[in-house]
Amino acid sequence: MRYQKQTKALWSFLTSCIVLSLLLTLTSCSEPDPGAQNSEKKSEGRTVAVSVADVSKADVPVTLTAVGSVEPYAAVAVKPQVTGILQEVTFREGEQVKKGEILFSIDKRPFAARVAQAQAALAKDQAALANAQRQAQRYQNAVANGYVSSEQADQAQTSVATLEATLLADKAALTSARIDLENCIIRAPISGYTGALMVDQGNLVKASSDQVLVTINQLTPVKVSFTLPEQHLTEIRKRIASQELTPLILNPQETAQTLTGKISFFDNAVDPQTGTIRLKADFPNRHQELWPGQFLTVNIRLTILKDVTVVSARAAQSGLEGNYAFIINADQKAELRQLDIAYSNQELAVVAAGLEVGDVVVTDGQLRLREGATVSIIQNEQNGSPQ
């Protein structure tokens, strides 16, 4: 009995100690930390260094940007017109050729023989026709004198007509043989650059096959194909009709030159899968800056927004509630403004509502700002000078 009383007393003592320890811990946690309070006060009084720009009025061109691919203005697959042994190749792969320049030679001896054969047949039938014409004339005179019948005269005239038709066929055969002989020399149908040589010298080429000897691409001028969003369809059509839509290619191949083209193709349907409309533009490409298969950026100036409120594009930020910007008020404190942006590009944002001309907007340092923070302007982007 005495042992049980001692055990209960011991448990009561331990329980009291545990409760007291917990109370002390809670009390210490609830007390404010002087160091943290000082840090917060310092943070509230800290000045944030920012760069700014002024809100102003300007004329802003509305530019659509698309990725375009370069296509040859014309591409011709050169094929043989006659069957024979490829005797000579007179160009190098990738070489620039002019229209009419000789590219290939096919063994012409069989075709020269056919021309000679056709000429002999023509000469033979010409002689026969001359004899038949004289014979017919004699029969006509004999009929008039009653020496022969009219039937015999008609047969003589039929022989003349038959030989005349044969003569026409002989002339056509001779023309065809001469064309085949000319086709033994294959010339460039257009001016441009040759591609890879598909058949080497000494091979048999056939006129009836789809065998391509070489492909020539015309690169002066050249076409650039690109697509634009369908929401601009009405404006694009209107600008094309008035010839005011000018495609520009900026800095091709990392040069400082800007190329200007002209719209030459407007597709007759919108692609339902992408919601875009395809266009093509012709560029002079006099110095071959553009090459087939190349991808590049095409800028289309759609219209110009006159006298609109603009600000540096770096000032406009995106948040959960939409676009916003920090302005600097007269007390040198940051003030958050919600923005309605009508249009933006890499440099400027056109603001429909939220800013007024003369407002000073933060362009760098927004991540360190909050509503009411004191700021220190280190640079104004308009004039590039520190404040």
PDB file of all heavy atoms in Angstrom, residues 12-34:
ATOM      1  N   SER A  12       2.691  12.161 -10.323  1.00  0.00           N
ATOM      2  CA  SER A  12       2.134  13.523 -10.217  1.00  0.00           C
ATOM      3  C   SER A  12       3.231  14.565 -10.378  1.00  0.00           C
ATOM      4  O   SER A  12       3.068  15.587 -11.054  1.00  0.00           O
ATOM      5  CB  SER A  12       1.429  13.704  -8.870  1.00  0.00           C
ATOM      6  OG  SER A  12       0.361  12.806  -8.760  1.00  0.00           O
ATOM      7  N   PHE A  13       4.391  14.270  -9.766  1.00  0.00           N
ATOM      8  CA  PHE A  13       5.519  15.198  -9.861  1.00  0.00           C
ATOM      9  C   PHE A  13       6.025  15.319 -11.302  1.00  0.00           C
ATOM     10  O   PHE A  13       6.277  16.414 -11.819  1.00  0.00           O
ATOM     11  CB  PHE A  13       6.639  14.713  -8.933  1.00  0.00           C
ATOM     12  CG  PHE A  13       7.889  15.553  -9.041  1.00  0.00           C
ATOM     13  CD1 PHE A  13       7.947  16.823  -8.461  1.00  0.00           C
ATOM     14  CD2 PHE A  13       8.996  15.077  -9.741  1.00  0.00           C
ATOM     15  CE1 PHE A  13       9.099  17.578  -8.591  1.00  0.00           C
ATOM     16  CE2 PHE A  13      10.136  15.844  -9.862  1.00  0.00           C
ATOM     17  CZ  PHE A  13      10.195  17.103  -9.278  1.00  0.00           C
ATOM     18  N   LEU A  14       6.138  14.168 -11.970  1.00  0.00           N
ATOM     19  CA  LEU A  14       6.602  14.178 -13.365  1.00  0.00           C
ATOM     20  C   LEU A  14       5.621  14.908 -14.283  1.00  0.00           C
ATOM     21  O   LEU A  14       6.008  15.654 -15.190  1.00  0.00           O
ATOM     22  CB  LEU A  14       6.816  12.742 -13.856  1.00  0.00           C
ATOM     23  CG  LEU A  14       7.981  11.994 -13.199  1.00  0.00           C
ATOM     24  CD1 LEU A  14       7.985  10.544 -13.674  1.00  0.00           C
ATOM     25  CD2 LEU A  14       9.305  12.662 -13.538  1.00  0.00           C
ATOM     26  N   THR A  15       4.327  14.707 -14.074  1.00  0.00           N
ATOM     27  CA  THR A  15       3.311  15.376 -14.904  1.00  0.00           C
ATOM     28  C   THR A  15       3.388  16.879 -14.745  1.00  0.00           C
ATOM     29  O   THR A  15       3.279  17.651 -15.706  1.00  0.00           O
ATOM     30  CB  THR A  15       1.921  14.863 -14.544  1.00  0.00           C
ATOM     31  OG1 THR A  15       1.882  13.451 -14.721  1.00  0.00           O
ATOM     32  CG2 THR A  15       0.851  15.513 -15.402  1.00  0.00           C
ATOM     33  N   SER A  16       3.580  17.311 -13.505  1.00  0.00           N
ATOM     34  CA  SER A  16       3.669  18.759 -13.243  1.00  0.00           C
ATOM     35  C   SER A  16       4.874  19.360 -13.951  1.00  0.00           C
ATOM     36  O   SER A  16       4.812  20.465 -14.501  1.00  0.00           O
ATOM     37  CB  SER A  16       3.760  19.000 -11.723  1.00  0.00           C
ATOM     38  OG  SER A  16       2.619  18.488 -11.081  1.00  0.00           O
ATOM     39  N   CYS A  17       5.984  18.618 -13.930  1.00  0.00           N
ATOM     40  CA  CYS A  17       7.195  19.115 -14.600  1.00  0.00           C
ATOM     41  C   CYS A  17       6.990  19.255 -16.106  1.00  0.00           C
ATOM     42  O   CYS A  17       7.431  20.225 -16.738  1.00  0.00           O
ATOM     43  CB  CYS A  17       8.360  18.165 -14.319  1.00  0.00           C
ATOM     44  SG  CYS A  17       8.914  18.218 -12.605  1.00  0.00           S
ATOM     45  N   ILE A  18       6.331  18.278 -16.712  1.00  0.00           N
ATOM     46  CA  ILE A  18       6.082  18.330 -18.159  1.00  0.00           C
ATOM     47  C   ILE A  18       5.190  19.498 -18.531  1.00  0.00           C
ATOM     48  O   ILE A  18       5.432  20.233 -19.501  1.00  0.00           O
ATOM     49  CB  ILE A  18       5.472  16.995 -18.639  1.00  0.00           C
ATOM     50  CG1 ILE A  18       6.511  15.865 -18.492  1.00  0.00           C
ATOM     51  CG2 ILE A  18       4.998  17.091 -20.080  1.00  0.00           C
ATOM     52  CD1 ILE A  18       5.941  14.498 -18.756  1.00  0.00           C
ATOM     53  N   VAL A  19       4.127  19.718 -17.758  1.00  0.00           N
ATOM     54  CA  VAL A  19       3.198  20.827 -18.036  1.00  0.00           C
ATOM     55  C   VAL A  19       3.912  22.157 -17.905  1.00  0.00           C
ATOM     56  O   VAL A  19       3.748  23.078 -18.719  1.00  0.00           O
ATOM     57  CB  VAL A  19       1.984  20.742 -17.094  1.00  0.00           C
ATOM     58  CG1 VAL A  19       1.130  21.987 -17.214  1.00  0.00           C
ATOM     59  CG2 VAL A  19       1.168  19.507 -17.418  1.00  0.00           C
ATOM     60  N   LEU A  20       4.742  22.288 -16.858  1.00  0.00           N
ATOM     61  CA  LEU A  20       5.475  23.535 -16.655  1.00  0.00           C
ATOM     62  C   LEU A  20       6.433  23.811 -17.810  1.00  0.00           C
ATOM     63  O   LEU A  20       6.559  24.945 -18.287  1.00  0.00           O
ATOM     64  CB  LEU A  20       6.244  23.446 -15.329  1.00  0.00           C
ATOM     65  CG  LEU A  20       7.074  24.696 -14.958  1.00  0.00           C
ATOM     66  CD1 LEU A  20       6.156  25.904 -14.821  1.00  0.00           C
ATOM     67  CD2 LEU A  20       7.843  24.440 -13.674  1.00  0.00           C
ATOM     68  N   SER A  21       7.095  22.737 -18.295  1.00  0.00           N
ATOM     69  CA  SER A  21       8.021  22.894 -19.421  1.00  0.00           C
ATOM     70  C   SER A  21       7.307  23.358 -20.686  1.00  0.00           C
ATOM     71  O   SER A  21       7.788  24.210 -21.417  1.00  0.00           O
ATOM     72  CB  SER A  21       8.735  21.565 -19.665  1.00  0.00           C
ATOM     73  OG  SER A  21       9.578  21.662 -20.802  1.00  0.00           O
ATOM     74  N   LEU A  22       6.130  22.793 -20.956  1.00  0.00           N
ATOM     75  CA  LEU A  22       5.353  23.203 -22.138  1.00  0.00           C
ATOM     76  C   LEU A  22       4.917  24.641 -22.045  1.00  0.00           C
ATOM     77  O   LEU A  22       4.934  25.394 -23.030  1.00  0.00           O
ATOM     78  CB  LEU A  22       4.138  22.282 -22.307  1.00  0.00           C
ATOM     79  CG  LEU A  22       4.439  20.839 -22.736  1.00  0.00           C
ATOM     80  CD1 LEU A  22       3.158  20.000 -22.706  1.00  0.00           C
ATOM     81  CD2 LEU A  22       5.040  20.819 -24.135  1.00  0.00           C
ATOM     82  N   LEU A  23       4.497  25.082 -20.867  1.00  0.00           N
ATOM     83  CA  LEU A  23       4.066  26.468 -20.698  1.00  0.00           C
ATOM     84  C   LEU A  23       5.211  27.436 -20.945  1.00  0.00           C
ATOM     85  O   LEU A  23       5.036  28.485 -21.574  1.00  0.00           O
ATOM     86  CB  LEU A  23       3.495  26.663 -19.283  1.00  0.00           C
ATOM     87  CG  LEU A  23       2.148  25.983 -19.011  1.00  0.00           C
ATOM     88  CD1 LEU A  23       1.771  26.126 -17.538  1.00  0.00           C
ATOM     89  CD2 LEU A  23       1.072  26.608 -19.892  1.00  0.00           C
ATOM     90  N   LEU A  24       6.396  27.075 -20.452  1.00  0.00           N
ATOM     91  CA  LEU A  24       7.562  27.942 -20.678  1.00  0.00           C
ATOM     92  C   LEU A  24       7.913  28.047 -22.168  1.00  0.00           C
ATOM     93  O   LEU A  24       8.278  29.109 -22.673  1.00  0.00           O
ATOM     94  CB  LEU A  24       8.747  27.397 -19.886  1.00  0.00           C
ATOM     95  CG  LEU A  24       8.641  27.529 -18.353  1.00  0.00           C
ATOM     96  CD1 LEU A  24       9.812  26.825 -17.683  1.00  0.00           C
ATOM     97  CD2 LEU A  24       8.611  28.996 -17.961  1.00  0.00           C
ATOM     98  N   THR A  25       7.808  26.899 -22.865  1.00  0.00           N
ATOM     99  CA  THR A  25       8.114  26.896 -24.308  1.00  0.00           C
ATOM    100  C   THR A  25       7.160  27.773 -25.098  1.00  0.00           C
ATOM    101  O   THR A  25       7.540  28.553 -25.959  1.00  0.00           O
ATOM    102  CB  THR A  25       8.064  25.461 -24.856  1.00  0.00           C
ATOM    103  OG1 THR A  25       8.988  24.661 -24.129  1.00  0.00           O
ATOM    104  CG2 THR A  25       8.419  25.435 -26.343  1.00  0.00           C
ATOM    105  N   LEU A  26       5.842  27.658 -24.792  1.00  0.00           N
ATOM    106  CA  LEU A  26       4.842  28.464 -25.488  1.00  0.00           C
ATOM    107  C   LEU A  26       5.029  29.937 -25.207  1.00  0.00           C
ATOM    108  O   LEU A  26       4.866  30.790 -26.078  1.00  0.00           O
ATOM    109  CB  LEU A  26       3.438  28.009 -25.089  1.00  0.00           C
ATOM    110  CG  LEU A  26       3.028  26.612 -25.558  1.00  0.00           C
ATOM    111  CD1 LEU A  26       1.679  26.223 -24.952  1.00  0.00           C
ATOM    112  CD2 LEU A  26       2.963  26.586 -27.076  1.00  0.00           C
ATOM    113  N   THR A  27       5.386  30.250 -23.979  1.00  0.00           N
ATOM    114  CA  THR A  27       5.569  31.658 -23.615  1.00  0.00           C
ATOM    115  C   THR A  27       6.746  32.272 -24.360  1.00  0.00           C
ATOM    116  O   THR A  27       6.680  33.380 -24.877  1.00  0.00           O
ATOM    117  CB  THR A  27       5.798  31.775 -22.094  1.00  0.00           C
ATOM    118  OG1 THR A  27       4.700  31.191 -21.419  1.00  0.00           O
ATOM    119  CG2 THR A  27       5.941  33.236 -21.672  1.00  0.00           C
ATOM    120  N   SER A  28       7.838  31.491 -24.457  1.00  0.00           N
ATOM    121  CA  SER A  28       9.026  32.003 -25.169  1.00  0.00           C
ATOM    122  C   SER A  28       8.760  32.173 -26.651  1.00  0.00           C
ATOM    123  O   SER A  28       9.278  33.084 -27.279  1.00  0.00           O
ATOM    124  CB  SER A  28      10.200  31.055 -24.950  1.00  0.00           C
ATOM    125  OG  SER A  28       9.926  29.794 -25.503  1.00  0.00           O
ATOM    126  N   CYS A  29       7.927  31.283 -27.260  1.00  0.00           N
ATOM    127  CA  CYS A  29       7.628  31.392 -28.698  1.00  0.00           C
ATOM    128  C   CYS A  29       6.741  32.581 -28.992  1.00  0.00           C
ATOM    129  O   CYS A  29       6.794  33.174 -30.065  1.00  0.00           O
ATOM    130  CB  CYS A  29       6.953  30.115 -29.198  1.00  0.00           C
ATOM    131  SG  CYS A  29       8.066  28.703 -29.237  1.00  0.00           S
ATOM    132  N   SER A  30       5.853  32.934 -28.080  1.00  0.00           N
ATOM    133  CA  SER A  30       4.899  34.023 -28.324  1.00  0.00           C
ATOM    134  C   SER A  30       5.509  35.385 -28.139  1.00  0.00           C
ATOM    135  O   SER A  30       4.985  36.388 -28.575  1.00  0.00           O
ATOM    136  CB  SER A  30       3.679  33.870 -27.401  1.00  0.00           C
ATOM    137  OG  SER A  30       4.079  33.979 -26.046  1.00  0.00           O
ATOM    138  N   GLU A  31       6.671  35.475 -27.490  1.00  0.00           N
ATOM    139  CA  GLU A  31       7.301  36.775 -27.280  1.00  0.00           C
ATOM    140  C   GLU A  31       7.907  37.270 -28.589  1.00  0.00           C
ATOM    141  O   GLU A  31       8.492  36.519 -29.339  1.00  0.00           O
ATOM    142  CB  GLU A  31       8.397  36.648 -26.219  1.00  0.00           C
ATOM    143  CG  GLU A  31       7.841  36.384 -24.831  1.00  0.00           C
ATOM    144  CD  GLU A  31       8.946  36.242 -23.809  1.00  0.00           C
ATOM    145  OE1 GLU A  31      10.139  36.278 -24.249  1.00  0.00           O
ATOM    146  OE2 GLU A  31       8.653  36.110 -22.627  1.00  0.00           O
ATOM    147  N   PRO A  32       7.772  38.557 -28.953  1.00  0.00           N
ATOM    148  CA  PRO A  32       8.353  39.108 -30.178  1.00  0.00           C
ATOM    149  C   PRO A  32       9.863  39.086 -30.139  1.00  0.00           C
ATOM    150  O   PRO A  32      10.472  39.241 -29.083  1.00  0.00           O
ATOM    151  CB  PRO A  32       7.807  40.543 -30.222  1.00  0.00           C
ATOM    152  CG  PRO A  32       7.505  40.879 -28.783  1.00  0.00           C
ATOM    153  CD  PRO A  32       7.077  39.587 -28.136  1.00  0.00           C
ATOM    154  N   ASP A  33      10.431  38.836 -31.351  1.00  0.00           N
ATOM    155  CA  ASP A  33      11.879  38.819 -31.501  1.00  0.00           C
ATOM    156  C   ASP A  33      12.359  40.215 -31.841  1.00  0.00           C
ATOM    157  O   ASP A  33      12.022  40.764 -32.902  1.00  0.00           O
ATOM    158  CB  ASP A  33      12.262  37.852 -32.623  1.00  0.00           C
ATOM    159  CG  ASP A  33      13.771  37.724 -32.741  1.00  0.00           C
ATOM    160  OD1 ASP A  33      14.485  38.352 -31.949  1.00  0.00           O
ATOM    161  OD2 ASP A  33      14.211  36.987 -33.646  1.00  0.00           O
ATOM    162  N   PRO A  34      13.122  40.824 -30.989  1.00  0.00           N
ATOM    163  CA  PRO A  34      13.580  42.203 -31.246  1.00  0.00           C
ATOM    164  C   PRO A  34      14.371  42.303 -32.535  1.00  0.00           C
ATOM    165  O   PRO A  34      14.258  43.269 -33.273  1.00  0.00           O
ATOM    166  CB  PRO A  34      14.446  42.512 -30.024  1.00  0.00           C
ATOM    167  CG  PRO A  34      13.993  41.566 -28.973  1.00  0.00           C
ATOM    168  CD  PRO A  34      13.575  40.323 -29.687  1.00  0.00           C
TER     169      PRO A  34
END
